[in-house]
Amino acid sequence: MAQRVPAMDLLSRLAALEEQVATLRRTGWERDELPLWPTSYTAMAFNDGTVFSTQWESVMSPRTASLSMGLTFVGDQVSGTNTGGAWQVLLGGAVVWSGTVLPNFTVQYANTVLDLLPYRGQAELRVEIQSRRTSGASTGGKYGNGGSIGLAPRFARLL
């Protein structure tokens, strides 16, 4: 049996649309989390090498315009000597964001939004987070080669 939709006047339709928009504003944006996988077995990946080494990575298909990312990092202290370092984020093998880890043995945070538009045509895009030690002791520490740089992502959201 055919059903008939009751006719609605313009003001009723406008009121219904305003209610739907208000509901959408209350719920916020829909965001997809990008999982990043550590390349070691620890909860916070550490690197005591003096060359960049990948600590976290993922492979994704860029469907959105940007990637919002937050990182946490910390230097080390070996026998009273503080260790500093550097970190970088690579998209498809190219460095798109970088910074330093201060040699003061405190937790530091960094946030940014990376533009994914140049990578939209790729089926797979590798995301890497790397770190290295640039100063500090040369012996002792977590792995015996001096102080270590701790690095972990706080969030990675596709916007």
Side-chain angles (χ1 to χ4, degrees), residues 26 34 39 62 69 71 83 85 99 105 112:
R26 282 192 300 269
L34 175 68
T39 58
M69 184 177 280
L71 301 177
T83 301
F105 198 53
T112 195

Side-chain angles (χ1 to χ4, degrees), residues 29-34 60 62-69 112-114 116-117 120 155-159:
W29 290 353
E30 191 72 27
R31 297 179 177 175
D32 292 329
E33 290 289 329
L34 175 68
M60 62 177 250
R63 300 178 320 269
T64 60
S66 57
L67 172 65
S68 176
M69 184 177 280
T112 195
V113 177
L114 302 172
L116 295 180
L117 291 178
R120 292 283 299 267
F155 60 88
R157 294 184 192 104
L158 295 165
L159 303 177

Side-chain angles (χ1 to χ4, degrees), residues 12-26:
S12 299
R13 290 176 42 203
L14 183 60
L17 284 174
E18 285 178 342
E19 184 179 338
Q20 290 173 352
V21 169
T23 302
L24 288 174
R25 285 185 178 156
R26 282 192 300 269

Side-chain angles (χ1 to χ4, degrees), residues 6-97:
M8 294 177 65
D9 65 342
L10 179 63
L11 292 178
S12 299
R13 290 176 42 203
L14 183 60
L17 284 174
E18 285 178 342
E19 184 179 338
Q20 290 173 352
V21 169
T23 302
L24 288 174
R25 285 185 178 156
R26 282 192 300 269
T27 58
W29 290 353
E30 191 72 27
R31 297 179 177 175
D32 292 329
E33 290 289 329
L34 175 68
L36 290 161
W37 311 104
T39 58
S40 68
Y41 296 112
T42 59
M44 179 176 247
F46 288 90
N47 179 22
D48 64 356
T50 55
V51 296
F52 278 109
S53 176
T54 300
Q55 305 300 305
W56 295 85
E57 65 183 352
S58 184
V59 176
M60 62 177 250
S61 177
R63 300 178 320 269
T64 60
S66 57
L67 172 65
S68 176
M69 184 177 280
L71 301 177
T72 302
F73 35 88
V74 64
D76 198 357
Q77 189 176 59
V78 178
S79 302
T81 302
N82 289 328
T83 301
W87 55 268
Q88 61 186 16
V89 175
L90 289 80
L91 292 179
V95 177
V96 293
W97 185 34

